[in-house]
Each structure stands twice: as C-alpha cells, then as structure tokens.
Amino acid sequence: MSSVVVINPVKSGVKYKKAVKDRGHRLISVYAFSEELLEKRWPYHADGGVS
C-alpha cells in the first residue's frame, strides 16, 4: 500500500483526505500547528468533518 502525505488537511484540504482514502492509499496528515488549535477550530476533524 502506498502512502500520501497531506500538509494541514483542514478546511479545503478535507477533500484530499477523502480522495486519498477512496483510492486505497494510506493517509499521513502533517499539521504545522498545535493539537489544541486543531481541536478548538475544527473539533470534528478527526471524524472526517470540518466544523
């Protein structure tokens, strides 16, 4: 299985996460900000959501 790295896959990047998974690749998400900010601004991001 190949892997794809996506940098800061939030907001508009969510579509890339879905496309990578739909094509059967392993997704590696890299964030350039803290986990606290991710949880505060995008609380449902880990579930695939954006709000």
Side-chain angles (χ1 to χ4, degrees):
M1 174 187 295
S2 61
S3 299
V4 175
V5 176
V6 180
I7 309 296
N8 293 334
V10 294
K11 293 172 60 174
S12 61
V14 169
K15 63 184 175 188
Y16 297 109
K17 287 175 55 175
K18 182 176 181 338
V20 167
K21 292 178 182 180
D22 288 349
R23 288 176 173 80
H25 303 294
R26 180 180 10 224
L27 173 67
I28 301 171
S29 298
V30 177
Y31 299 91
F33 46 83
S34 70
E35 183 177 351
E36 291 81 13
L37 180 61
L38 180 64
E39 290 173 355
K40 180 179 178 184
R41 295 197 53 195
W42 301 282
Y44 303 108
H45 180 70
D47 298 330
V50 294
S51 55

